[in-house]
Amino acid sequence: MLLAALNQWLSGAELQPIREKLLEKLLATEPIQMVLQTADPLLQRLPWHRWSLLERYTQMELALSHPTFERPERCWQPRSTVKILAILGNSEAIDVQADRKLLEQLPNATVKFLVEPNLRDITDQLWEAGWDILFFAGHSSRPDQAGSGRIFVNPREHLTLDQLKYALRKAIEGGLVLAIFNSCDGLGLVPNLLELPIPQLIVMREPVPDRVAQAFLQYFLKAFSGGKSLYLAVREARQRLQGLENQFPCATWLPVIFQNLAEHPPTWQSLQTHGQAPLRPQLHFWQRGAMSLSITLVILLLRQVGLLQTWELNAYDQFLRLRPAERPDSRLLVVTITEADIQAQQSERPRGSLSDRSLLKVLRTIVPYQPRVIGLDVYRDFPTDLENQPLIRQLHQNQHLIAVCKTSAPELEDPGVAPPPEISPDRLGFSDFVPDADDILRRQLLTMIPAPASRCASGYAFNLQLALRYLAAMGIPPRLTPDHKLQLGSVIIQPLNPQSGGYQGLDTGGSQILLNYRSLPDPAAIAPQVTLKDLFSGQVDLQRFHNRIVLIGVTAPSPNDYWGTPYLDAKGNRLHLPGVIVQAHLVSQILSAVLDRRSLLWVWPEPLEMAWIGGWAVLTAILISGTRWRVGLLRGAIAVFSLWGLCFGLFLMGGWVPWVPAALASILTGSVVLFLANYGFHNHR
């Protein structure tokens, strides 16, 4: 009868606007805290939770509140565990020891028990130590004629709450945020308790059987300490009492929350970490998802137009420099032409850095020792003097000799550099490099289609020609896969996608891969080196040339053939390497990938990179949502450092995955979520 009358009244025309507004604004699946403000004792005793409208909301709990309230002054001390003062009062005909066992099992809690204490024991504890929760189990009664409810603390003594007023105020100042009176007629104690600005109260509406009180405490503590909010923990514990209603009718009606509207309900975690309980509003999943998606789209747009490219390339350089050291590549040997070597040839009327006489002498010295390939990284765009027939025969007949030329660049009005006339086209390779906008070499050009008017008609890079001939001599010929990718043994060379790996929108100008420099303490020491002077003076063990790739090139600064690299010199300046040393790195990369299983650098397809960036934004939003500043900043820092470690770990395995865009997405998302969680959004009441 009572429930029918209550719902009939609440469904009446005068309350219809409230009902419609609730149905319009509230979602059935989101956590909702509804508070009814009333000072009328009769209204407080009604079973509001049985309102048919509210029962459709599975995440809602209704609390009571007085129309007037104030925010308590606090002077609390941070603590790492939940501090509980448990008063176990007069236990006549009830089992308060069951309550004690439940409290002793709480995680990360320090519980002080006062068993059948007197007034002085209680006041001393409330005054001298900071408490988070005050718990009372025992007998209590409704207000007497003087208007004071009483708690029975021992068989001989009962106290009014007015007798504890000053001690309770002191406890509230010290951080008390929740008082639980698991006793009969707890609602009768509320008028006295409301005179004190206790943030939250849990009391019983009517006399409560001992088994019901114990069951409620068990269910509530399990849910609350397990991470549920105060409201949802009370709701779950109250609903679970339905299993006792065949013995104790209306048991689910008894528990009720009294809320000070100037305070936020605590969580078990907030009680552990700070000793006070400000609620950190939780962003809903769709809010976090929408925010993460929006920030991800902004990051992807910035990346697409190239605004992040400089940062990404700098991160690439840093990863290269942090890799563990490798050994020089013993399959190569470099004959260097130093400034002293160039000066020593002045009497020979050289055209360029290597005279005909010196070149012939080099070839006659090393060819008998059967190097597998000889790479002449010196421009010879002029015919050899006719009187030097031995050199002409070497250039024309030596099938192990590969020479260089340079393709034209019409946009720069650069006609290129022609190859030596005596070298057949199949033994030519272009020497072109593709530096980035900051003049640093990070990519290796393998093939390209030369311009029709170019003086250099070779479509293969000099470094690729050397590597292919070396591998072919070992029985590893080049093949093309069905999708026209170069395959060497089991290694398929995947060209760089201009939309991936930090090169968004960049015209690659041919088939390229990322340049995986050999990691050395001194990048110039990529392979054993001998100078022209040492070679001619007989100071070199010529057996060292056997079966090796011999590169002949200039290391003197005068030809201006130096190129920026990701590495730094001893003074922290950008390290520049001679072109012939760079060529050695390029050749070594291909040989190491095929023969040593040293991974070529790879990047993900663009959709996977986008998912990676967005995934870190979402993950950070989940980690930080609902946290305080310090905790949120700590979690955000852990996320960013974890991201860096994962990206660097993948880089050691050959994968260049987006570190900078993902870090920006993580930092921006975390900052926005942390700000909104602390200042922007609030849960429904």
Side-chain angles (χ1 to χ4, degrees):
M1 294 293 292
L2 175 62
L3 292 179
L6 176 66
N7 278 287
Q8 182 178 3
W9 170 51
L10 294 174
S11 301
E14 65 275 13
L15 296 179
Q16 188 64 24
I18 297 177
R19 181 185 182 92
E20 291 177 353
K21 186 62 69 176
L22 292 176
L23 290 172
E24 175 187 350
K25 297 294 185 181
L26 302 183
L27 298 177
T29 57
E30 66 179 354
I32 302 170
Q33 301 166 8
M34 178 171 284
V35 181
L36 175 65
Q37 292 180 265
T38 178
D40 190 324
L42 292 179
L43 290 178
Q44 292 174 356
R45 294 187 180 277
L46 291 178
W48 293 96
H49 63 282
R50 296 299 302 273
W51 183 9
S52 59
L53 174 65
L54 302 188
E55 288 192 326
R56 71 172 59 194
Y57 294 96
T58 60
Q59 301 292 309
M60 175 188 283
E61 181 65 8
L62 185 141
L64 301 175
S65 178
H66 198 270
T68 60
F69 50 87
E70 62 177 293
R71 183 183 297 275
E73 296 294 331
R74 300 287 181 81
C75 184
W76 52 271
Q77 296 296 322
R79 39 193 177 261
S80 59
T81 61
V82 181
K83 295 196 65 177
I84 303 174
L85 178 61
I87 303 173
L88 305 181
N90 184 4
S91 59
E92 183 179 353
I94 60 175
D95 182 13
V96 296
Q97 293 303 313
D99 295 31
R100 177 170 188 153
K101 291 179 181 179
L102 293 173
L103 293 170
E104 289 174 339
Q105 296 171 2
L106 285 172
N108 299 319
T110 302
V111 186
K112 173 69 175 180
F113 291 99
L114 298 180
V115 180
E116 295 189 346
N118 55 37
L119 175 60
R120 181 175 179 179
D121 295 333
I122 298 174
T123 56
D124 284 348
Q125 288 297 324
L126 290 173
W127 272 91
E128 294 178 3
W131 304 104
D132 299 306
I133 299 175
L134 173 64
F135 175 81
F136 173 77
H139 295 286
S140 60
S141 66
R142 297 184 183 185
D144 54 19
Q145 294 180 351
S148 297
R150 297 179 181 273
I151 58 174
F152 295 82
V153 294
N154 58 59
R156 302 168 302 282
E157 189 175 7
H158 52 81
L159 304 175
T160 65
L161 294 180
D162 189 62
Q163 293 175 275
L164 299 173
K165 179 171 62 175
Y166 299 121
L168 285 172
R169 284 189 179 276
K170 182 64 177 178
I172 293 169
E173 291 176 2
L176 181 66
V177 294
L178 175 61
I180 304 172
F181 287 85
N182 201 23
S183 60
C184 294
D185 286 326
L187 200 58
L189 303 173
V190 168
N192 300 100
L193 291 170
L194 290 180
E195 296 179 5
L196 308 167
I198 297 179
Q200 281 82 213
L201 292 169
I202 298 177
V203 297
M204 297 294 174
R205 279 190 173 92
E206 302 289 345
V208 56
D210 192 31
R211 284 186 57 192
V212 174
Q214 293 171 8
F216 171 77
L217 183 64
Q218 175 186 354
Y219 300 145
F220 168 74
L221 293 178
K222 181 179 180 181
F224 188 50
S225 64
K228 292 195 173 181
S229 68
L230 178 71
Y231 275 61
L232 292 183
V234 171
R235 175 189 173 94
E236 179 177 309
R238 178 175 55 75
Q239 290 182 337
R240 291 188 66 175
L241 294 179
Q242 190 175 37
L244 298 174
E245 287 194 337
N246 60 339
Q247 298 175 336
F248 306 101
C250 300
T252 57
W253 296 21
L254 295 175
V256 61
I257 302 172
F258 254 86
Q259 174 73 50
N260 182 336
L261 292 181
E263 294 286 324
H264 289 300
T267 64
W268 189 256
Q269 182 183 16
S270 69
L271 294 177
Q272 292 179 60
T273 54
H274 287 276
Q276 63 175 355
L279 175 67
R280 297 298 166 183
Q282 293 283 339
L283 299 179
H284 297 297
F285 179 80
W286 68 268
Q287 291 172 324
R288 293 184 300 221
M291 194 177 308
S292 303
L293 177 61
S294 300
I295 291 176
T296 300
L297 291 176
V298 171
I299 297 295
L300 293 176
L301 178 61
L302 294 176
R303 193 173 192 242
Q304 190 66 32
V305 299
L307 293 181
L308 302 183
Q309 184 166 298
T310 298
W311 291 359
E312 291 197 70
L313 295 180
N314 287 336
Y316 174 85
D317 296 348
Q318 183 70 22
F319 281 174
L320 282 176
R321 293 194 292 266
L322 290 175
R323 293 182 305 171
E326 301 175 84
R327 294 181 178 179
D329 196 331
S330 60
R331 293 167 296 223
L332 285 76
L333 191 148
V334 181
V335 177
T336 63
I337 304 172
T338 65
E339 186 67 34
D341 293 328
I342 295 176
Q343 295 300 323
Q345 299 176 71
Q346 292 302 314
S347 61
E348 303 174 13
R349 296 182 295 108
R351 288 176 289 180
S353 56
L354 187 63
S355 67
D356 290 357
R357 177 183 174 185
S358 295
L359 176 57
L360 178 61
K361 189 173 182 179
V362 170
L363 296 177
R364 281 179 168 176
T365 301
I366 67 176
V367 166
Y369 292 90
Q370 298 179 330
R372 192 167 294 177
V373 190
I374 301 172
L376 181 60
D377 188 25
V378 177
Y379 289 137
R380 288 182 59 87
D381 56 344
F382 50 85
T384 305
D385 290 338
L386 292 177
E387 64 268 18
N388 197 342
Q389 289 298 315
L391 178 58
I392 294 175
R393 286 194 297 272
Q394 280 280 2
L395 296 177
H396 181 70
Q397 299 175 5
N398 191 336
Q399 296 301 307
H400 299 284
L401 179 63
I402 309 296
V404 294
C405 55
K406 185 177 183 297
T407 60
S408 63
E411 68 279 3
L412 301 177
E413 298 183 357
D414 180 6
V417 179
E422 300 83 6
I423 302 291
S424 61
D426 64 312
R427 291 189 288 118
L428 292 175
F430 60 77
S431 63
D432 299 65
F433 293 147
V434 280
D436 293 327
D438 53 3
D439 289 329
I440 296 176
L441 287 177
R442 300 183 181 90
R443 292 170 288 151
Q444 178 173 353
L445 186 58
L446 299 176
T447 63
M448 66 176 175
I449 300 176
S454 176
R455 296 178 180 178
C456 179
S458 176
Y460 294 94
F462 177 61
N463 60 82
L464 182 61
Q465 285 275 40
L466 297 178
L468 292 181
R469 287 175 178 266
Y470 184 91
L471 295 171
M474 299 180 66
I476 307 176
R479 294 185 175 87
L480 286 179
T481 64
D483 54 350
H484 302 288
K485 292 184 176 64
L486 176 62
Q487 181 174 353
L488 298 170
S490 61
V491 176
I492 297 176
I493 297 180
Q494 180 71 42
L496 180 64
N497 183 342
Q499 299 299 322
S500 298
Y503 284 109
Q504 285 65 33
L506 184 66
D507 182 10
T508 56
S511 176
Q512 303 179 32
I513 58 177
L514 289 170
L515 175 46
N516 191 6
Y517 287 90
R518 200 169 188 88
S519 182
L520 300 162
D522 179 9
I526 172 66
Q529 300 176 26
V530 299
T531 66
L532 206 62
K533 176 182 178 181
D534 291 340
L535 183 65
F536 290 166
S537 62
Q539 299 180 29
V540 178
D541 179 7
L542 298 179
Q543 290 294 338
R544 298 170 63 186
F545 291 93
H546 181 65
N547 274 344
R548 283 184 166 173
I549 296 177
V550 178
L551 280 162
I552 305 171
V554 180
T555 58
S558 53
N560 198 27
D561 185 27
Y562 272 69
W563 300 87
T565 71
Y567 296 95
L568 305 176
D569 60 21
K571 297 181 179 180
N573 300 318
R574 184 67 64 180
L575 179 66
H576 289 71
L577 295 177
V580 67
I581 299 300
V582 174
Q583 294 285 6
H585 277 277
L586 303 179
V587 176
S588 176
Q589 170 171 236
I590 300 175
L591 298 184
S592 298
V594 178
L595 302 177
D596 304 334
R597 304 301 180 191
R598 181 177 182 262
S599 177
L600 294 170
L601 292 178
W602 47 265
V603 295
W604 280 333
E606 187 178 11
L608 190 55
E609 290 190 332
M610 295 169 63
W612 170 263
I613 296 169
W616 278 98
V618 172
L619 177 61
T620 306
I622 294 173
L623 288 175
I624 290 181
S625 181
T627 62
R628 295 178 176 81
W629 280 107
R630 290 185 180 179
V631 175
L633 290 174
L634 177 60
R635 291 185 179 181
I638 291 174
V640 172
F641 280 111
S642 299
L643 169 62
W644 184 92
L646 187 56
C647 288
F648 184 60
L650 290 172
F651 193 81
L652 293 177
M653 295 186 287
W656 183 27
V657 300
W659 143 242
V660 170
L664 281 177
S666 177
I667 292 171
L668 291 178
T669 303
S671 300
V672 173
V673 170
L674 192 58
F675 176 82
L676 294 180
N678 282 269
Y679 299 111
F681 286 96
H682 296 278
N683 285 342
H684 295 289
R685 285 187 171 178

